[in-house]
Amino acid sequence: MNNMNQNNGMQKRMLIMTLVVFVFFIAYEFLVLKPQKEAKEAQAKQEQVTQAKSTPVEGMQETDVSGNPIDMSKSVESLSSKAIATQEIISVIKTAKNIIEIDNKGRIAQVTLLDTIYKDEEEHQIKLFESNQLRPLEVRFADTNINSKAFKVAAVASKSELDVKNQKQELIITQNLGETVLTKKFTFYPDGHYDLTTTSTNGKKFFITNGFRPNVLADMYADHGAMAKLNDGTLTIIEDGDLDKNENLTGAKFISNFDRYYATVIYNFEKSLAITLMPDNDGNPQGFIHGGNSITFSGYAGPKNFKDLAALNPELTDVIEYGWFTFIAKPMFILLQFIQSYVGNWGWTIVILTILVKLVLYPLSYKGMVSMNKLKELAPKMKEIQAKYKDDKQKQSMHMMELYKKHGANPMGGCLPLILQIPVFFAIYRVLLNAIELKGAEWIFWVQDLAEMDPYFVLPILMGASMYIQQRITPNTMQDEMQKKIFQFLPVIFTFFFLWFPAGLTLYWFVNNVFTIGQQYYINKLFEKKRAAKK
């Protein structure tokens, strides 16, 4: 820095930049993404089922998602009811976790979750798939004639019902297509996952799809689309609307099509998969696995619950995606889950996690608060130097540096700790946003679901009030009146946006503010004692 004005100016700019990042992040989601989503939904209600514009995998017959060999897929916005026609279902598998319905094309037509916490707005058990979407385990043949028959000839199930609540059971689906016989041999498990071997006779090559993602909760707050984990450990993630051409993946361990809380996953950790991701007419990714004439893998369709996925295979926890700050967010969720295993309440778990984070970051916070207090004390002397050397910026800068050095003050000390804490905030934001474990989790009597907004707006109001108090007791060295007014208005802006945020996230922010107030109050008292001692 060449002069004191540059020091102060940089400090102000960094503080404003930090707050603008927060405001922009929240405002963009609420004011831009949400209206875009609502506009798409309104337009979709007026449209009929649209045809795909994607290029098929080479050698694969184009077919619509209802089974007619014409189009590759339907637009997600054109999907409607989740009711599946009874005459289509040839086998119903009841596990301890879900009900899986297999239709007469050998596809997973529907998965109904049985846990009582998985209910929709009408208190019905959640069903993962729309009736007209591309269904999981649909097979497409390279041979056009056989492919056409595959959507006309009904498959036959070895059993119409399976009770898999207590032990694994096998099911065989057979489809006699003349030139080839397609056989799907399932093993279903009580936890809801399955193993599958699919074969075709006479060497007939086929492709098998993971289907379109579950369509339960695809909102503006979380990613939804498809992801694949490759043998080198990297993740390929393509969100809905972002795929404009076929993308081939080789050496894949799993493919997952997912919304905010739910996923359909096909995985094989012993023999890797070759996958082609194909866009529908809206650029939504749909994965087709190259099956050759025989392929074996395992599958799961259900909530992205960390423990359930880890029980299947630890690598499947990568299905839960936390965005840019996954490297912080994933360990933080593991800690959150560990605390909850002892506390038993997710709300108090969030409170404890917040306190732990504040303790870990306390050295940074302490330095920042001390620096702000020192700068406030030095404000009169800084003004004197400004006035005395107003025409000589070089001397002004030199005397400012001497003043800072003499009193151990750092003009950047107040904002750097805040900036360093931003990744932690966003990591916690993503954890609380994507953790289905919070769904249906109560905290106290008026907060019955930490994954939903506070119905009475108590937490957002408390958060805004605590932010205002924090602002009032924090030393402010800003000289510009416009900057002061912007900062004074921030508690109102944040309160407005947090009205619709999940209660769990608002709870974290409120508790964080309360402890920051306590820390700031403590630092202020120390400085008051020092000033009193000097007198």
Side-chain angles (χ1 to χ4, degrees):
M1 295 183 187
N2 296 323
N3 53 59
M4 184 278 303
N5 286 333
Q6 287 179 334
N7 290 335
N8 287 342
M10 182 175 292
Q11 179 186 3
K12 292 173 184 176
R13 287 193 296 272
M14 291 189 75
L15 282 169
I16 292 175
M17 178 191 72
T18 302
L19 291 165
V20 166
V21 167
F22 279 105
V23 174
F24 176 79
F25 177 78
I26 298 169
Y28 180 75
E29 290 193 348
F30 184 79
L31 299 177
V32 178
L33 296 182
K34 186 176 181 180
Q36 287 179 352
K37 177 177 177 290
E38 290 175 346
K40 282 186 178 181
E41 289 175 347
Q43 181 181 3
K45 290 178 181 178
Q46 299 175 0
E47 295 178 351
Q48 298 295 322
V49 174
T50 55
Q51 295 184 349
K53 298 179 181 178
S54 58
T55 303
V57 178
E58 184 178 355
M60 183 173 72
Q61 171 65 26
E62 295 181 77
T63 350
D64 71 12
V65 295
S66 299
N68 300 313
I70 301 175
D71 308 312
M72 278 301 304
S73 57
K74 302 293 185 185
S75 164
V76 61
E77 282 84 8
S78 67
L79 307 181
S80 55
S81 171
K82 294 187 177 182
I84 308 297
T86 306
Q87 64 269 24
E88 291 185 18
I89 305 303
I90 61 172
S91 187
V92 177
I93 301 92
K94 296 181 179 179
T95 76
K97 298 281 189 177
N98 56 28
I99 298 174
I100 302 171
E101 298 174 73
I102 307 294
D103 70 9
N104 54 15
K105 303 299 182 293
R107 308 171 296 192
I108 294 179
Q110 191 57 273
V111 174
T112 305
L113 305 181
L114 296 179
D115 196 314
T116 55
I117 68 171
Y118 302 126
K119 291 185 177 181
D120 59 23
E121 296 81 0
E122 299 176 353
E123 291 300 307
H124 297 145
Q125 292 304 129
I126 285 177
K127 296 180 183 295
L128 296 185
F129 306 124
E130 300 288 349
S131 61
N132 292 326
Q133 73 178 76
L134 180 65
R135 300 177 187 178
L137 307 186
E138 180 169 301
V139 169
R140 305 280 175 83
F141 284 91
D143 188 306
T144 304
N145 294 327
I146 295 176
N147 197 74
S148 180
K149 289 180 182 178
F151 289 102
K152 296 176 182 177
V153 177
V156 178
S158 60
K159 297 178 183 177
S160 60
E161 292 185 4
L162 261 70
D163 185 346
V164 198
K165 295 185 181 71
N166 299 311
Q167 61 181 4
K168 66 180 183 180
Q169 298 280 351
E170 289 188 354
L171 175 71
I172 298 176
I173 304 293
T174 307
Q175 203 173 13
N176 191 334
L177 304 174
E179 296 178 54
T180 188
V181 176
L182 181 69
T183 303
K184 293 179 179 176
K185 184 177 181 179
F186 288 92
T187 302
F188 289 98
Y189 295 84
D191 61 8
H193 89 282
Y194 62 87
D195 297 331
L196 172 64
T197 296
T198 304
T199 58
S200 62
T201 59
N202 298 327
K204 296 300 182 179
K205 294 183 179 180
F206 62 84
F207 306 85
I208 188 166
T209 179
N210 195 35
F212 189 73
R213 62 164 170 77
N215 196 28
V216 182
L217 187 59
D219 58 19
M220 65 175 182
Y221 296 114
D223 296 339
H224 41 86
M227 74 159 65
K229 184 173 184 178
L230 305 183
N231 289 333
D232 61 6
T234 59
L235 291 175
T236 296
I237 302 172
I238 300 176
E239 295 184 38
D240 286 346
D242 288 350
L243 189 64
D244 57 3
K245 61 182 180 180
N246 288 358
E247 183 170 335
N248 295 312
L249 303 174
T250 56
K253 294 184 176 183
F254 71 70
I255 179 171
S256 168
N257 290 70
F258 63 96
D259 67 4
R260 179 172 172 182
Y261 286 147
Y262 308 93
T264 306
V265 191
I266 285 176
Y267 58 97
N268 190 328
F269 294 101
E270 295 178 359
K271 186 176 181 180
S272 57
L273 307 170
I275 301 167
T276 295
L277 292 172
M278 301 179 60
D280 66 7
N281 69 299
D282 294 319
N284 302 317
Q286 298 174 121
F288 284 85
I289 300 165
H290 298 239
N293 62 358
S294 179
I295 189 169
T296 297
F297 54 73
S298 298
Y300 167 82
K304 294 188 290 184
N305 182 291
F306 189 93
K307 288 183 178 179
D308 290 346
L309 291 169
L312 297 176
N313 189 293
E315 289 194 66
L316 285 179
T317 58
D318 289 335
V319 167
I320 307 170
E321 204 274 320
Y322 299 107
W324 293 347
F325 298 106
T326 296
F327 68 99
I328 302 175
K330 193 169 183 178
M332 193 167 290
F333 176 77
I334 294 173
L335 174 61
L336 191 73
Q337 190 168 244
F338 174 77
I339 297 170
Q340 195 275 339
S341 67
Y342 287 94
V343 176
N345 181 286
W346 281 102
W348 294 116
T349 297
I350 292 171
V351 172
I352 293 171
L353 176 69
T354 309
I355 295 171
L356 290 176
V357 171
K358 291 299 290 182
L359 289 175
V360 171
L361 297 177
Y362 179 74
L364 280 175
S365 302
Y366 179 82
K367 287 182 180 179
M369 291 175 178
V370 168
S371 181
M372 293 297 290
N373 274 280
K374 285 182 179 180
L375 289 173
K376 184 180 180 182
E377 285 187 338
L378 294 177
K381 293 181 180 180
M382 291 165 62
K383 285 185 178 179
E384 289 178 7
I385 294 174
Q386 283 180 325
K388 186 174 181 179
Y389 300 103
K390 62 181 180 180
D391 296 325
D392 191 336
K393 299 299 181 183
Q394 187 173 356
K395 285 187 177 181
Q396 186 184 103
S397 176
M398 181 182 67
H399 285 283
M400 280 292 181
M401 290 300 142
E402 290 176 356
L403 183 66
Y404 294 150
K405 186 176 180 180
K406 180 180 178 181
H407 294 274
N410 182 355
M412 302 302 297
C415 53
L416 282 177
L418 181 60
I419 292 172
L420 291 174
Q421 293 178 56
I422 289 178
V424 177
F425 167 79
F426 282 121
I428 292 176
Y429 169 84
R430 296 295 300 191
V431 166
L432 299 181
L433 193 66
N434 288 279
I436 193 171
E437 286 80 357
L438 296 184
K439 184 172 177 59
E442 300 179 11
W443 177 41
I444 49 182
F445 66 93
W446 86 87
V447 178
Q448 299 296 311
D449 191 340
L450 288 164
E452 301 293 333
M453 57 181 277
D454 184 334
Y456 302 106
F457 306 116
V458 176
L459 283 173
I461 292 172
L462 289 175
M463 187 280 301
S466 64
M467 191 173 182
Y468 173 76
I469 295 170
Q470 177 186 339
Q471 192 180 77
R472 295 288 294 177
I473 69 171
T474 301
N476 190 340
T477 59
M478 289 185 180
Q479 305 298 320
D480 185 84
E481 290 300 321
M482 180 59 69
Q483 291 178 356
K484 287 182 180 180
K485 289 180 180 179
I486 291 173
F487 272 73
Q488 289 171 357
F489 199 63
L490 282 176
V492 178
I493 297 174
F494 272 67
T495 300
F496 174 76
F497 286 120
F498 271 76
L499 290 176
W500 291 273
F501 267 35
L505 182 65
T506 312
L507 174 62
Y508 162 76
W509 195 250
F510 166 62
V511 176
N512 180 76
N513 285 351
V514 170
F515 276 84
T516 302
I517 290 170
Q519 290 176 353
Q520 187 67 62
Y521 181 79
Y522 171 71
I523 299 297
N524 291 352
K525 284 295 182 182
L526 286 181
F527 272 82
E528 286 179 10
K529 287 182 180 179
K530 287 182 180 180
R531 282 193 293 267
K534 289 179 181 180
K535 294 179 180 178

